[in-house]
mmCIF file of all heavy atoms in Angstrom:
data_model
loop_
_atom_site.group_PDB
_atom_site.id
_atom_site.type_symbol
_atom_site.label_atom_id
_atom_site.label_comp_id
_atom_site.label_asym_id
_atom_site.label_seq_id
_atom_site.Cartn_x
_atom_site.Cartn_y
_atom_site.Cartn_z
ATOM 1 N N VAL I 1 -9.840 -4.420 3.984
ATOM 2 C CA VAL I 1 -9.637 -5.737 4.601
ATOM 3 C C VAL I 1 -10.565 -5.912 5.797
ATOM 4 O O VAL I 1 -11.174 -6.982 5.988
ATOM 5 C CB VAL I 1 -8.154 -5.941 4.999
ATOM 6 C CG1 VAL I 1 -7.971 -7.164 5.876
ATOM 7 C CG2 VAL I 1 -7.292 -6.038 3.750
ATOM 8 N N LEU I 2 -10.716 -4.873 6.604
ATOM 9 C CA LEU I 2 -11.615 -4.965 7.764
ATOM 10 C C LEU I 2 -13.063 -5.167 7.323
ATOM 11 O O LEU I 2 -13.807 -5.949 7.935
ATOM 12 C CB LEU I 2 -11.482 -3.726 8.639
ATOM 13 C CG LEU I 2 -10.162 -3.594 9.401
ATOM 14 C CD1 LEU I 2 -10.090 -2.259 10.127
ATOM 15 C CD2 LEU I 2 -9.967 -4.746 10.372
ATOM 16 N N LEU I 3 -13.480 -4.489 6.272
ATOM 17 C CA LEU I 3 -14.832 -4.672 5.745
ATOM 18 C C LEU I 3 -15.018 -6.077 5.179
ATOM 19 O O LEU I 3 -16.067 -6.704 5.385
ATOM 20 C CB LEU I 3 -15.144 -3.622 4.681
ATOM 21 C CG LEU I 3 -15.363 -2.205 5.203
ATOM 22 C CD1 LEU I 3 -15.446 -1.206 4.047
ATOM 23 C CD2 LEU I 3 -16.613 -2.139 6.069
ATOM 24 N N GLU I 4 -13.998 -6.574 4.474
ATOM 25 C CA GLU I 4 -14.052 -7.952 3.968
ATOM 26 C C GLU I 4 -14.273 -8.944 5.110
ATOM 27 O O GLU I 4 -15.131 -9.823 5.028
ATOM 28 C CB GLU I 4 -12.741 -8.324 3.265
ATOM 29 C CG GLU I 4 -12.619 -7.913 1.850
ATOM 30 C CD GLU I 4 -11.352 -8.477 1.221
ATOM 31 O OE1 GLU I 4 -10.307 -8.578 1.902
ATOM 32 O OE2 GLU I 4 -11.415 -8.826 0.039
ATOM 33 N N GLN I 5 -13.486 -8.780 6.156
ATOM 34 C CA GLN I 5 -13.550 -9.721 7.276
ATOM 35 C C GLN I 5 -14.843 -9.562 8.077
ATOM 36 O O GLN I 5 -15.389 -10.541 8.574
ATOM 37 C CB GLN I 5 -12.333 -9.539 8.192
ATOM 38 C CG GLN I 5 -11.020 -9.867 7.525
ATOM 39 C CD GLN I 5 -10.963 -11.293 7.011
ATOM 40 O OE1 GLN I 5 -11.393 -12.234 7.669
ATOM 41 N NE2 GLN I 5 -10.439 -11.452 5.798
ATOM 42 N N THR I 6 -15.322 -8.346 8.196
ATOM 43 C CA THR I 6 -16.530 -8.099 8.983
ATOM 44 C C THR I 6 -17.781 -8.624 8.284
ATOM 45 O O THR I 6 -18.635 -9.255 8.916
ATOM 46 C CB THR I 6 -16.690 -6.586 9.250
ATOM 47 O OG1 THR I 6 -15.552 -6.125 9.981
ATOM 48 C CG2 THR I 6 -17.952 -6.294 10.058
ATOM 49 N N PHE I 7 -17.876 -8.361 6.990
ATOM 50 C CA PHE I 7 -19.101 -8.694 6.269
ATOM 51 C C PHE I 7 -18.989 -9.944 5.403
ATOM 52 O O PHE I 7 -19.954 -10.338 4.758
ATOM 53 C CB PHE I 7 -19.561 -7.497 5.437
ATOM 54 C CG PHE I 7 -19.920 -6.315 6.282
ATOM 55 C CD1 PHE I 7 -19.117 -5.187 6.284
ATOM 56 C CD2 PHE I 7 -21.041 -6.338 7.102
ATOM 57 C CE1 PHE I 7 -19.445 -4.098 7.085
ATOM 58 C CE2 PHE I 7 -21.374 -5.261 7.902
ATOM 59 C CZ PHE I 7 -20.569 -4.132 7.894
ATOM 60 N N GLY I 8 -17.817 -10.553 5.367
ATOM 61 C CA GLY I 8 -17.649 -11.811 4.669
ATOM 62 C C GLY I 8 -17.692 -11.730 3.152
ATOM 63 O O GLY I 8 -17.964 -12.717 2.494
ATOM 64 N N PHE I 9 -17.440 -10.558 2.614
ATOM 65 C CA PHE I 9 -17.340 -10.456 1.154
ATOM 66 C C PHE I 9 -15.865 -10.373 0.806
ATOM 67 O O PHE I 9 -15.103 -9.695 1.468
ATOM 68 C CB PHE I 9 -18.100 -9.241 0.601
ATOM 69 C CG PHE I 9 -17.423 -7.932 0.831
ATOM 70 C CD1 PHE I 9 -16.559 -7.401 -0.127
ATOM 71 C CD2 PHE I 9 -17.632 -7.207 1.995
ATOM 72 C CE1 PHE I 9 -15.917 -6.191 0.072
ATOM 73 C CE2 PHE I 9 -16.985 -5.992 2.203
ATOM 74 C CZ PHE I 9 -16.142 -5.484 1.245
ATOM 75 N N TYR I 10 -15.467 -11.105 -0.182
ATOM 76 C CA TYR I 10 -14.052 -11.159 -0.526
ATOM 77 C C TYR I 10 -13.879 -10.781 -1.989
ATOM 78 O O TYR I 10 -14.470 -11.390 -2.871
ATOM 79 C CB TYR I 10 -13.474 -12.548 -0.228
ATOM 80 C CG TYR I 10 -13.612 -12.870 1.237
ATOM 81 C CD1 TYR I 10 -14.644 -13.666 1.699
ATOM 82 C CD2 TYR I 10 -12.727 -12.320 2.154
ATOM 83 C CE1 TYR I 10 -14.790 -13.927 3.054
ATOM 84 C CE2 TYR I 10 -12.871 -12.573 3.509
ATOM 85 C CZ TYR I 10 -13.900 -13.379 3.956
ATOM 86 O OH TYR I 10 -14.043 -13.618 5.291
ATOM 87 N N GLN I 11 -13.114 -9.765 -2.199
ATOM 88 C CA GLN I 11 -12.838 -9.245 -3.534
ATOM 89 C C GLN I 11 -11.334 -9.332 -3.771
ATOM 90 O O GLN I 11 -10.600 -8.361 -3.559
ATOM 91 C CB GLN I 11 -13.325 -7.791 -3.650
ATOM 92 C CG GLN I 11 -14.794 -7.610 -3.409
ATOM 93 C CD GLN I 11 -15.621 -8.270 -4.489
ATOM 94 O OE1 GLN I 11 -15.269 -8.215 -5.661
ATOM 95 N NE2 GLN I 11 -16.707 -8.919 -4.102
ATOM 96 N N ASP I 12 -10.869 -10.511 -4.168
ATOM 97 C CA ASP I 12 -9.440 -10.745 -4.316
ATOM 98 C C ASP I 12 -8.780 -9.765 -5.273
ATOM 99 O O ASP I 12 -7.679 -9.288 -5.021
ATOM 100 C CB ASP I 12 -9.173 -12.175 -4.776
ATOM 101 C CG ASP I 12 -9.564 -13.201 -3.722
ATOM 102 O OD1 ASP I 12 -9.597 -12.844 -2.531
ATOM 103 O OD2 ASP I 12 -9.839 -14.355 -4.094
ATOM 104 N N GLY I 13 -9.442 -9.449 -6.371
ATOM 105 C CA GLY I 13 -8.863 -8.531 -7.351
ATOM 106 C C GLY I 13 -8.662 -7.133 -6.797
ATOM 107 O O GLY I 13 -7.606 -6.529 -6.974
ATOM 108 N N ALA I 14 -9.670 -6.625 -6.097
ATOM 109 C CA ALA I 14 -9.570 -5.279 -5.525
ATOM 110 C C ALA I 14 -8.504 -5.246 -4.429
ATOM 111 O O ALA I 14 -7.715 -4.298 -4.346
ATOM 112 C CB ALA I 14 -10.925 -4.840 -4.974
ATOM 113 N N ARG I 15 -8.483 -6.295 -3.592
ATOM 114 C CA ARG I 15 -7.474 -6.343 -2.528
ATOM 115 C C ARG I 15 -6.073 -6.423 -3.129
ATOM 116 O O ARG I 15 -5.160 -5.731 -2.685
ATOM 117 C CB ARG I 15 -7.711 -7.518 -1.580
ATOM 118 C CG ARG I 15 -6.762 -7.477 -0.383
ATOM 119 C CD ARG I 15 -6.939 -8.599 0.638
ATOM 120 N NE ARG I 15 -8.095 -9.434 0.517
ATOM 121 C CZ ARG I 15 -8.104 -10.619 -0.109
ATOM 122 N NH1 ARG I 15 -7.014 -11.090 -0.675
ATOM 123 N NH2 ARG I 15 -9.209 -11.345 -0.148
ATOM 124 N N LEU I 16 -5.913 -7.244 -4.159
ATOM 125 C CA LEU I 16 -4.610 -7.364 -4.818
ATOM 126 C C LEU I 16 -4.177 -6.027 -5.415
ATOM 127 O O LEU I 16 -3.018 -5.635 -5.284
ATOM 128 C CB LEU I 16 -4.650 -8.438 -5.905
ATOM 129 C CG LEU I 16 -3.356 -8.623 -6.706
ATOM 130 C CD1 LEU I 16 -2.220 -9.054 -5.787
ATOM 131 C CD2 LEU I 16 -3.572 -9.622 -7.830
ATOM 132 N N LEU I 17 -5.092 -5.316 -6.032
ATOM 133 C CA LEU I 17 -4.782 -4.005 -6.595
ATOM 134 C C LEU I 17 -4.308 -3.037 -5.513
ATOM 135 O O LEU I 17 -3.320 -2.320 -5.693
ATOM 136 C CB LEU I 17 -6.005 -3.442 -7.319
ATOM 137 C CG LEU I 17 -5.810 -2.144 -8.077
ATOM 138 C CD1 LEU I 17 -4.802 -2.320 -9.203
ATOM 139 C CD2 LEU I 17 -7.144 -1.659 -8.626
ATOM 140 N N LEU I 18 -4.985 -3.038 -4.368
ATOM 141 C CA LEU I 18 -4.566 -2.178 -3.256
ATOM 142 C C LEU I 18 -3.214 -2.611 -2.698
ATOM 143 O O LEU I 18 -2.364 -1.763 -2.394
ATOM 144 C CB LEU I 18 -5.628 -2.184 -2.153
ATOM 145 C CG LEU I 18 -6.890 -1.379 -2.438
ATOM 146 C CD1 LEU I 18 -7.978 -1.700 -1.419
ATOM 147 C CD2 LEU I 18 -6.587 0.110 -2.449
ATOM 148 N N VAL I 19 -2.991 -3.906 -2.566
ATOM 149 C CA VAL I 19 -1.706 -4.402 -2.052
ATOM 150 C C VAL I 19 -0.574 -4.004 -2.997
ATOM 151 O O VAL I 19 0.481 -3.521 -2.549
ATOM 152 C CB VAL I 19 -1.739 -5.934 -1.841
ATOM 153 C CG1 VAL I 19 -0.338 -6.492 -1.615
ATOM 154 C CG2 VAL I 19 -2.634 -6.284 -0.662
ATOM 155 N N VAL I 20 -0.783 -4.169 -4.288
ATOM 156 C CA VAL I 20 0.245 -3.797 -5.265
ATOM 157 C C VAL I 20 0.490 -2.287 -5.223
ATOM 158 O O VAL I 20 1.638 -1.841 -5.250
ATOM 159 C CB VAL I 20 -0.158 -4.269 -6.684
ATOM 160 C CG1 VAL I 20 0.739 -3.656 -7.743
ATOM 161 C CG2 VAL I 20 -0.124 -5.783 -6.762
ATOM 162 N N GLY I 21 -0.582 -1.503 -5.141
ATOM 163 C CA GLY I 21 -0.437 -0.050 -5.069
ATOM 164 C C GLY I 21 0.327 0.400 -3.834
ATOM 165 O O GLY I 21 1.233 1.228 -3.911
ATOM 166 N N VAL I 22 -0.029 -0.162 -2.683
ATOM 167 C CA VAL I 22 0.662 0.191 -1.441
ATOM 168 C C VAL I 22 2.121 -0.250 -1.499
ATOM 169 O O VAL I 22 3.021 0.497 -1.101
ATOM 170 C CB VAL I 22 -0.059 -0.414 -0.212
ATOM 171 C CG1 VAL I 22 0.792 -0.299 1.045
ATOM 172 C CG2 VAL I 22 -1.407 0.258 0.000
ATOM 173 N N THR I 23 2.373 -1.438 -2.019
ATOM 174 C CA THR I 23 3.748 -1.932 -2.131
ATOM 175 C C THR I 23 4.583 -1.011 -3.005
ATOM 176 O O THR I 23 5.668 -0.570 -2.616
ATOM 177 C CB THR I 23 3.775 -3.361 -2.703
ATOM 178 O OG1 THR I 23 3.031 -4.223 -1.833
ATOM 179 C CG2 THR I 23 5.192 -3.878 -2.838
ATOM 180 N N GLY I 24 4.068 -0.691 -4.184
ATOM 181 C CA GLY I 24 4.801 0.170 -5.107
ATOM 182 C C GLY I 24 5.046 1.557 -4.551
ATOM 183 O O GLY I 24 6.167 2.079 -4.618
ATOM 184 N N LEU I 25 4.012 2.162 -3.983
ATOM 185 C CA LEU I 25 4.176 3.516 -3.442
ATOM 186 C C LEU I 25 5.048 3.530 -2.193
ATOM 187 O O LEU I 25 5.776 4.491 -1.956
ATOM 188 C CB LEU I 25 2.816 4.147 -3.147
ATOM 189 C CG LEU I 25 2.093 4.698 -4.369
ATOM 190 C CD1 LEU I 25 0.668 5.105 -4.019
ATOM 191 C CD2 LEU I 25 2.845 5.884 -4.955
ATOM 192 N N THR I 26 5.001 2.475 -1.409
ATOM 193 C CA THR I 26 5.865 2.405 -0.230
ATOM 194 C C THR I 26 7.328 2.346 -0.655
ATOM 195 O O THR I 26 8.177 3.060 -0.101
ATOM 196 C CB THR I 26 5.491 1.203 0.655
ATOM 197 O OG1 THR I 26 4.133 1.351 1.079
ATOM 198 C CG2 THR I 26 6.393 1.101 1.873
ATOM 199 N N LEU I 27 7.627 1.538 -1.652
ATOM 200 C CA LEU I 27 9.005 1.462 -2.160
ATOM 201 C C LEU I 27 9.428 2.783 -2.797
ATOM 202 O O LEU I 27 10.543 3.271 -2.554
ATOM 203 C CB LEU I 27 9.127 0.318 -3.172
ATOM 204 C CG LEU I 27 9.019 -1.096 -2.611
ATOM 205 C CD1 LEU I 27 8.883 -2.108 -3.733
ATOM 206 C CD2 LEU I 27 10.214 -1.409 -1.715
ATOM 207 N N LEU I 28 8.549 3.367 -3.607
ATOM 208 C CA LEU I 28 8.855 4.636 -4.263
ATOM 209 C C LEU I 28 9.115 5.743 -3.253
ATOM 210 O O LEU I 28 10.117 6.456 -3.340
ATOM 211 C CB LEU I 28 7.712 5.043 -5.201
ATOM 212 C CG LEU I 28 7.846 6.424 -5.850
ATOM 213 C CD1 LEU I 28 9.010 6.449 -6.817
ATOM 214 C CD2 LEU I 28 6.547 6.815 -6.530
ATOM 215 N N THR I 29 8.231 5.880 -2.279
ATOM 216 C CA THR I 29 8.397 6.969 -1.313
ATOM 217 C C THR I 29 9.587 6.736 -0.388
ATOM 218 O O THR I 29 10.237 7.704 0.021
ATOM 219 C CB THR I 29 7.111 7.197 -0.490
ATOM 220 O OG1 THR I 29 6.721 5.976 0.151
ATOM 221 C CG2 THR I 29 5.975 7.692 -1.385
ATOM 222 N N ALA I 30 9.900 5.485 -0.081
ATOM 223 C CA ALA I 30 11.104 5.218 0.709
ATOM 224 C C ALA I 30 12.327 5.705 -0.053
ATOM 225 O O ALA I 30 13.193 6.383 0.513
ATOM 226 C CB ALA I 30 11.223 3.727 1.023
ATOM 227 N N ALA I 31 12.383 5.385 -1.341
ATOM 228 C CA ALA I 31 13.510 5.832 -2.171
ATOM 229 C C ALA I 31 13.547 7.360 -2.258
ATOM 230 O O ALA I 31 14.625 7.967 -2.186
ATOM 231 C CB ALA I 31 13.412 5.222 -3.564
ATOM 232 N N GLN I 32 12.396 7.989 -2.392
ATOM 233 C CA GLN I 32 12.348 9.450 -2.465
ATOM 234 C C GLN I 32 12.889 10.084 -1.177
ATOM 235 O O GLN I 32 13.672 11.036 -1.231
ATOM 236 C CB GLN I 32 10.918 9.938 -2.707
ATOM 237 C CG GLN I 32 10.424 9.706 -4.101
ATOM 238 C CD GLN I 32 8.970 10.119 -4.268
ATOM 239 O OE1 GLN I 32 8.155 10.008 -3.350
ATOM 240 N NE2 GLN I 32 8.642 10.580 -5.469
ATOM 241 N N TYR I 33 12.456 9.567 -0.041
ATOM 242 C CA TYR I 33 12.902 10.147 1.229
ATOM 243 C C TYR I 33 14.376 9.888 1.489
ATOM 244 O O TYR I 33 15.074 10.747 2.034
ATOM 245 C CB TYR I 33 12.037 9.665 2.391
ATOM 246 C CG TYR I 33 10.690 10.356 2.430
ATOM 247 C CD1 TYR I 33 9.511 9.638 2.362
ATOM 248 C CD2 TYR I 33 10.599 11.742 2.512
ATOM 249 C CE1 TYR I 33 8.283 10.274 2.388
ATOM 250 C CE2 TYR I 33 9.379 12.384 2.536
ATOM 251 C CZ TYR I 33 8.218 11.648 2.473
ATOM 252 O OH TYR I 33 7.008 12.300 2.502
ATOM 253 N N ILE I 34 14.864 8.727 1.111
ATOM 254 C CA ILE I 34 16.293 8.456 1.260
ATOM 255 C C ILE I 34 17.093 9.414 0.387
ATOM 256 O O ILE I 34 18.095 9.990 0.823
ATOM 257 C CB ILE I 34 16.609 6.977 0.931
ATOM 258 C CG1 ILE I 34 16.035 6.070 2.017
ATOM 259 C CG2 ILE I 34 18.116 6.766 0.767
ATOM 260 C CD1 ILE I 34 16.032 4.589 1.657
ATOM 261 N N THR I 35 16.636 9.615 -0.846
ATOM 262 C CA THR I 35 17.308 10.539 -1.765
ATOM 263 C C THR I 35 17.287 11.960 -1.218
ATOM 264 O O THR I 35 18.304 12.670 -1.257
ATOM 265 C CB THR I 35 16.639 10.494 -3.156
ATOM 266 O OG1 THR I 35 16.686 9.141 -3.634
ATOM 267 C CG2 THR I 35 17.320 11.404 -4.137
ATOM 268 N N ARG I 36 16.143 12.390 -0.711
ATOM 269 C CA ARG I 36 16.038 13.733 -0.126
ATOM 270 C C ARG I 36 16.979 13.902 1.074
ATOM 271 O O ARG I 36 17.620 14.928 1.232
ATOM 272 C CB ARG I 36 14.605 14.008 0.334
ATOM 273 C CG ARG I 36 13.644 14.334 -0.748
ATOM 274 C CD ARG I 36 12.288 14.628 -0.149
ATOM 275 N NE ARG I 36 11.308 14.983 -1.147
ATOM 276 C CZ ARG I 36 10.118 15.445 -0.850
ATOM 277 N NH1 ARG I 36 9.742 15.584 0.414
ATOM 278 N NH2 ARG I 36 9.260 15.757 -1.807
ATOM 279 N N GLY I 37 17.014 12.882 1.919
ATOM 280 C CA GLY I 37 17.882 12.947 3.094
ATOM 281 C C GLY I 37 19.345 13.039 2.707
ATOM 282 O O GLY I 37 20.113 13.815 3.283
ATOM 283 N N MET I 38 19.740 12.246 1.712
ATOM 284 C CA MET I 38 21.133 12.287 1.268
ATOM 285 C C MET I 38 21.451 13.651 0.642
ATOM 286 O O MET I 38 22.574 14.148 0.798
ATOM 287 C CB MET I 38 21.396 11.143 0.310
ATOM 288 C CG MET I 38 21.291 9.784 1.003
ATOM 289 S SD MET I 38 21.493 8.406 -0.108
ATOM 290 C CE MET I 38 23.271 8.340 -0.208
ATOM 291 N N ALA I 39 20.499 14.237 -0.041
ATOM 292 C CA ALA I 39 20.711 15.570 -0.631
ATOM 293 C C ALA I 39 20.887 16.608 0.476
ATOM 294 O O ALA I 39 21.679 17.545 0.334
ATOM 295 C CB ALA I 39 19.549 15.940 -1.533
ATOM 296 N N MET I 40 20.159 16.473 1.576
ATOM 297 C CA MET I 40 20.311 17.401 2.681
ATOM 298 C C MET I 40 21.713 17.310 3.286
ATOM 299 O O MET I 40 22.302 18.325 3.634
ATOM 300 C CB MET I 40 19.264 17.113 3.784
ATOM 301 C CG MET I 40 17.877 17.506 3.430
ATOM 302 S SD MET I 40 16.768 17.042 4.806
ATOM 303 C CE MET I 40 15.282 17.863 4.303
ATOM 304 N N VAL I 41 22.205 16.082 3.391
ATOM 305 C CA VAL I 41 23.563 15.889 3.911
ATOM 306 C C VAL I 41 24.568 16.514 2.942
ATOM 307 O O VAL I 41 25.481 17.228 3.356
ATOM 308 C CB VAL I 41 23.880 14.391 4.120
ATOM 309 C CG1 VAL I 41 25.349 14.176 4.430
ATOM 310 C CG2 VAL I 41 22.991 13.822 5.223
#
């Protein structure tokens, strides 16, 4: 995103792919850590 804004090139598809990847992995890892924490308890 910083490179897009700095150099004025916009790659909507690549940015969307990264946003979807980060969203999915953020949700997945949140669930994993919650599950791990509950198992510790």
Side-chain angles (χ1 to χ4, degrees):
V1 169
L2 290 174
L3 288 171
E4 276 187 324
Q5 296 301 318
T6 300
F7 297 110
F9 75 92
Y10 300 99
Q11 300 293 320
D12 294 336
R15 187 179 349 96
L16 178 62
L17 186 63
L18 285 168
V19 167
V20 168
V22 168
T23 300
L25 281 171
T26 300
L27 291 169
L28 174 67
T29 56
Q32 286 176 327
Y33 284 121
I34 290 168
T35 303
R36 283 182 179 189
M38 294 176 82
M40 287 178 170
V41 170

